[in-house]
């Protein structure tokens, strides 16, 4: 990298993942970067984006500087269209009303399975993590975007525990597990944007972020990546994207 | 109609064993569902809960947590409770560390997303002192819905294929008799007691909930006993003026305690936001040392105060008022 960028890794994550959303979509967003990125998209290119939160919120319009500490807080309901019970908002996913599920991730593997439950053996864990929350439900039912920091310990060949299913063991195994819809669509990291091979359903780099090399991505990944010859480059954050993002999170709660 | 006395006639729930319909109906038939005043004090609450009960906790994460009710059960020295909650926050730390509860059924358990992984939860679960039984958020909700509907299970389309399901032999996969599709059946959850905090209710228990209701309506219907804490007890006339706001009918309710700021340091929709400064103090204290830090916190903030008002005093009037100002501001948006 020739110069230090004037944005943080979390800002880059929020902006790149916001760009994945299209106007008119219904998106089910988790707390943190997903909530922030969905709200950013709503303020930029997706004024007609409908945001759902697992606390039971339909059509959220989070206020700048009043980011909620979770997706179950009253701040999530500011200017929303509707509030529902939490099982009922999750049932909208099951019925098929949600275009995109959007989450963060603690640990991901080559098939986009996410682990937020255990490090080590589930029956005698080295670390007990907080668990699925709505993650398993969202990932079981919707097309998914995941935004996460790219570190070798977080990008592993096979997760210790499948909390939220991606493409399971590749190919048709997700469908065979009883999950005929949804699946991993994009993984956005501070190094690159990834998609999944149509047939094998293995993760593959689509575009590298500014100043990032293939070697750097490979070195920070715990398994061998296959780079297509036509891997692209992502556009760096624009001044407008950064200024709107910083207006939304002036306390830098989520953007670091 | 038979009177309910505070000593309980029904047997405690074998955790995760679905209650046969006969028993569910018999237990309910024994409850005093007459139109009567049910107001008790916070100190009386413990007499409605037995050691070993399955206790369903309302609200989610830091929202509408029935904290004063949990606080009073801990102070009364309750033991071997199993607790369920959609998403568990510092309430779970307190329940584990005080020894009141050794088993929490939930979809997520930490103090809050802002503070990483709860060292208190980790200490108790990793050492095997306590169990954290994980279900998906939808599964938690649908287990209570089945309980509320008086049916033994609900079919869902999540958890399938995951390792979350492998840990849960209580859930059963089935082939749909109509379509041949694969479904997951999650067992009904019918808690012995539900603890629910609301913004207002009358002395009979007609309860109004503003904002996010989470799973609390199903929880009230599913439980064999409901204890409400409320910001305010209002007249029945006031309830009848806006019946569409009433979410829990009086005949499901067994006891009512008026506790202003009864969710502190968590939030109550439209009344106060979380008391973040206190939460940060708490998290700093207990995540530095989950044993000594928790002992210190419990001594000073749970066992120490003479009353809930004295606990609020320890949080500090400035922080309580700031949280109230923010809580009310949701109506300005």
């Amino acid at each position: 990298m020739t110069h230090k960028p004037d944005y943080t890794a979390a800002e880059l994550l929020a902006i790149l993942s916001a760009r994945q959303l299209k106007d008119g979509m219904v998106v089910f967003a988790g707390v943190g970067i997903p909530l922030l990125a969905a709200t950013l998209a709503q303020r930029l290119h997706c004024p007609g984006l409908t945001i759902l939160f697992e606390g039971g919120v339909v059509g959220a319009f989070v206020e700048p500087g009043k980011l909620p500490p979770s997706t179950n807080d009253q701040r999530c309901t500011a200017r929303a269209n509707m509030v529902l019970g939490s099982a009922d908002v999750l049932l909208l996913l099951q019925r098929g009303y949600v275009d995109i599920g959007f989450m963060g991730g603690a640990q991901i593997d080559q098939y986009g399975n996410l682990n937020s439950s255990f490090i080590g053996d589930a029956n005698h864990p080295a670390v007990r993590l907080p668990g699925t929350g709505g993650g398993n439900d969202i990932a079981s039912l919707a097309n998914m975007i995941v935004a996460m920091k790219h570190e070798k310990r977080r990008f592993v060949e096979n997760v210790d525990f499948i909390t939220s299913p991606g493409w399971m063991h590749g190919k048709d195994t997700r469908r065979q597990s009883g999950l005929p819809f949804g699946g991993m669509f994009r993984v956005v990291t501070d190094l690159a944007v990834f998609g999944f091979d149509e047939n094998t359903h293995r993760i593959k780099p689509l575009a590298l972020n500014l100043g990032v090399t293939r070697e750097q991505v490979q070195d920070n990944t715990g398994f061998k990546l296959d780079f297509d010859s036509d891997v692209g480059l992502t556009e760096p954050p624009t001044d407008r994207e950064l200024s709107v993002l910083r207006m939304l999170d002036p306390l830098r709660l989520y953007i670091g | 109609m038979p009177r309910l006395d505070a000593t309980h006639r029904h047997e405690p729930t074998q955790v995760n064993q679905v209650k046969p319909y006969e028993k569910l109906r018999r237990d309910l038939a024994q409850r005093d569902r007459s139109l009567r005043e049910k107001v008790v004090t916070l100190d009386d609450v413990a007499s409605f809960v037995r050691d070993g009960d399955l206790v369903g906790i309302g609200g989610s994460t830091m929202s509408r947590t029935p904290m004063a009710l949990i606080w009073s059960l801990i102070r009364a020295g309750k033991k071997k409770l199993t607790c369920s909650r959609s998403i568990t926050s510092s309430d779970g730390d307190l329940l584990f560390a005080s020894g009141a509860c050794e088993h929490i059924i939930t979809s997520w358990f930490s103090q809050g997303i802002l503070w990483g992984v709860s060292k208190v939860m980790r200490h108790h679960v990793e050492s095997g002192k306590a169990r954290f039984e994980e279900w998906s958020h939808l599964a938690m909700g649908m287990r209570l819905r089945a309980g509320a509907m008086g049916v033994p299970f609900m079919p869902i389309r999540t958890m399938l294929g995951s390792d979350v399901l492998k840990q849960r032999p209580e859930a059963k996969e089935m082939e749909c008799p109509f379509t041949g599709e694969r479904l997951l059946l999650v067992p009904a959850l019918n808690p012995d007691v539900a603890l629910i905090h609301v913004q207002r209710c009358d002395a009979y228990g007609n309860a109004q909930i503003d904002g996010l209701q989470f799973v609390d309506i199903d929880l009230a219907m599913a439980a064999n006993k409901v204890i409400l804490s409320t910001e305010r007890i209002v007249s029945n006339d006031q309830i009848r003026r806006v019946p569409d706001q009433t979410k829990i009918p009086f005949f499901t309710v067994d006891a009512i305690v008026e506790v202003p700021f009864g969710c502190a340091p968590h939030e109550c929709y439209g009344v106060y936001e979380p008391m973040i400064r206190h939460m940060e103090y708490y998290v700093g204290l207990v995540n530095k040392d989950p044993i000594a830090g928790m002992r210190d916190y419990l001594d000073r903030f749970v066992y120490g105060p003479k009353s809930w008002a004295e606990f609020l005093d320890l949080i500090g009037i400035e922080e309580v008022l700031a949280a109230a100002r923010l809580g009310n501001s949701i109506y300005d948006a």
Side-chain angles (χ1 to χ4, degrees):
Chain A
M1 214 173 281
T2 48
H3 68 286
K4 217 171 130 51
D6 49 3
Y7 44 83
T8 66
E11 286 176 329
L12 180 63
L13 273 184
I15 289 166
L16 292 181
S17 45
R19 289 184 193 159
Q20 299 288 332
L21 302 173
K22 308 270 177 288
D23 200 20
M25 278 181 164
V26 176
V27 57
F28 205 110
V31 74
I33 294 291
L35 179 150
L36 188 58
T39 305
L40 176 66
Q42 205 177 35
R43 298 301 201 282
L44 293 171
H45 58 286
C46 304
L49 189 73
T50 297
I51 302 175
L52 272 47
F53 294 132
E54 73 174 330
V57 182
V58 179
F61 224 92
V62 168
E63 288 181 276
K66 282 200 162 184
L67 297 178
S70 84
T71 47
N72 291 268
D73 296 75
Q74 68 167 29
R75 288 183 179 195
C76 294
T77 69
R79 299 187 58 214
N81 282 318
M82 186 181 191
V83 293
L84 282 171
S86 35
D88 296 285
V89 80
L90 288 162
L91 288 172
L92 294 173
L93 286 155
Q94 187 165 286
R95 182 65 181 85
Y97 282 109
V98 178
D99 298 304
I100 289 284
F102 189 1
M103 283 162 45
Q107 191 187 52
I108 194 167
D109 71 15
Q110 58 181 330
Y111 296 116
N113 301 302
L114 297 168
N115 174 20
S116 58
S117 299
F118 299 95
I119 303 295
D121 173 9
N123 296 312
H124 304 281
V127 181
R128 184 50 159 120
L129 298 171
T132 156
N136 173 282
D137 304 310
I138 302 167
S140 295
L141 297 167
N143 296 318
M144 294 291 296
I145 299 173
V146 170
M148 60 187 287
K149 246 179 99 74
H150 204 129
E151 294 170 3
K152 201 163 193 163
R153 66 187 181 101
R154 293 177 185 274
F155 273 70
V156 297
E157 188 154 30
N158 297 297
V159 287
D160 291 343
F161 187 92
I162 299 179
T163 307
S164 303
W167 296 106
M168 298 301 299
H169 310 293
K171 298 195 178 124
D172 201 28
T173 52
R174 178 183 167 96
R175 175 177 281 273
Q176 286 163 15
S177 304
L179 303 172
F181 290 96
M184 283 293 150
F185 171 62
R186 290 284 181 270
V187 177
V188 178
T189 81
D190 44 331
L191 299 184
V193 173
F194 298 82
F196 290 82
D197 184 87
E198 265 179 51
N199 300 310
T200 65
H201 284 137
R202 200 163 178 270
I203 195 167
K204 61 173 192 182
L206 296 180
L208 304 178
N209 298 341
L210 181 68
V212 175
T213 63
R214 292 182 182 206
E215 290 68 33
Q216 211 177 331
V217 178
Q218 182 60 71
D219 288 350
N220 285 284
T221 303
F223 54 92
K224 177 86 175 59
L225 287 168
D226 300 320
F227 288 86
D228 286 350
S229 54
D230 58 348
V231 171
L233 289 173
T234 62
E235 287 292 322
T238 65
D239 290 344
R240 178 163 156 70
E241 286 170 325
L242 281 167
S243 70
V244 174
L245 180 62
R246 288 167 186 169
M247 181 266 296
L248 291 172
D249 188 7
L251 302 175
R252 308 193 72 86
L253 215 52
Y254 296 118
I255 59 180
Chain B
M1 209 155 304
R3 287 293 295 181
L4 176 86
D5 63 37
T7 60
H8 313 255
R9 293 190 188 89
H10 70 282
E11 292 302 309
T13 294
Q14 292 299 307
V15 169
N16 283 329
Q17 213 171 63
V18 176
K19 279 187 191 168
Y21 188 52
E22 287 275 345
K23 174 163 172 51
L24 209 59
R25 289 290 298 262
R26 253 198 334 268
D27 284 349
L28 195 148
Q30 283 179 15
R31 293 164 67 187
D32 177 0
R33 286 165 286 125
S34 61
L35 185 68
R36 64 196 166 90
E37 298 195 0
K38 299 160 189 163
V39 180
V40 300
T41 70
L42 196 51
D43 288 337
D44 295 332
V45 164
S47 68
F48 289 83
V49 180
R50 288 187 309 186
D51 288 348
D53 270 352
L54 172 56
V55 179
I57 300 175
S60 191
T61 329
M62 288 194 290
S63 296
R64 254 181 341 83
T65 311
M67 197 66 91
L69 297 179
I70 293 168
W71 185 85
S72 74
L73 294 184
I74 292 173
R75 282 158 63 96
K78 290 293 162 191
K79 291 272 178 280
K80 296 200 183 307
L81 304 176
T82 294
C83 295
S84 76
R85 197 170 189 223
S86 297
I87 292 184
T88 306
S89 171
S90 58
D91 44 301
D93 287 355
L94 295 170
L95 284 162
F96 272 176
S98 64
C101 165
E102 295 169 1
H103 182 181
I104 290 184
I105 305 170
T106 191
S107 77
W108 195 90
F109 183 174
S110 193
Q111 290 129 352
I113 196 89
L114 297 173
W115 303 297
V117 186
S118 163
K119 290 274 170 48
V120 182
M121 177 278 283
R122 281 193 57 190
H123 166 71
H124 285 268
V125 176
E126 289 166 19
S127 67
K129 287 187 204 317
R131 279 181 69 198
F132 162 8
E133 179 184 321
E134 181 175 341
W135 294 78
S136 82
H137 197 165
L138 179 64
M140 287 301 300
M142 297 307 273
R143 292 191 64 189
L144 286 171
R145 180 144 310 161
M149 290 171 68
V151 296
F153 61 82
M154 285 294 284
I156 63 172
R157 297 179 187 275
T158 70
M159 281 177 65
L160 291 163
S162 72
D163 291 329
V164 181
L165 178 57
K166 287 202 187 112
Q167 295 286 310
R168 296 274 64 84
E170 304 91 344
K172 308 287 180 203
E173 284 185 51
M174 82 167 291
E175 199 177 281
C176 169
F178 300 101
T179 64
E181 293 161 352
R182 199 143 143 208
L183 297 169
L184 184 70
L185 310 185
V186 294
L189 193 62
N190 288 102
D192 297 308
V193 190
L195 311 178
I196 299 174
H197 186 83
V198 300
Q199 283 85 0
R200 76 197 73 82
C201 68
D202 65 18
Y204 310 117
N206 291 300
Q208 301 191 332
I209 295 176
D210 299 332
L212 298 166
Q213 67 206 39
F214 306 113
V215 298
D216 291 7
I217 302 171
D218 286 328
L219 172 60
M221 307 290 173
N224 193 47
K225 190 183 300 171
V226 175
I227 305 173
L228 290 184
S229 57
T230 178
E231 289 295 317
R232 234 156 42 90
I233 294 175
V234 299
S235 70
N236 180 250
D237 285 337
Q238 201 165 329
I239 295 290
R240 287 176 188 274
R241 246 171 248 140
V242 277
D244 56 316
Q245 286 298 302
T246 307
K247 303 289 160 68
I248 296 174
F250 77 90
F251 46 73
T252 66
V253 175
D254 300 274
I256 299 152
V257 198
E258 189 178 53
V259 198
F261 294 96
C263 304
H266 290 184
E267 86 168 21
C268 180
Y269 192 101
V271 191
Y272 42 93
E273 282 200 351
M275 295 156 200
I276 292 289
R277 214 169 57 190
H278 183 81
M279 283 302 296
E280 276 170 356
Y281 167 76
Y282 164 80
V283 169
L285 183 71
V286 304
N287 282 0
K288 204 169 82 188
D289 185 338
I291 301 168
M294 269 318 294
R295 200 182 302 131
D296 187 15
Y297 186 86
L298 285 166
D299 283 345
R300 281 162 56 207
F301 292 96
V302 180
Y303 302 121
K306 281 203 272 299
S307 63
W308 185 252
E310 222 177 272
F311 166 68
L312 295 175
D313 199 25
L314 290 174
I315 292 178
I317 186 73
E318 223 172 295
E319 173 147 33
V320 171
L321 290 179
R325 191 166 57 242
L326 285 168
N328 197 256
S329 75
I330 193 72
Y331 295 114
D332 305 332

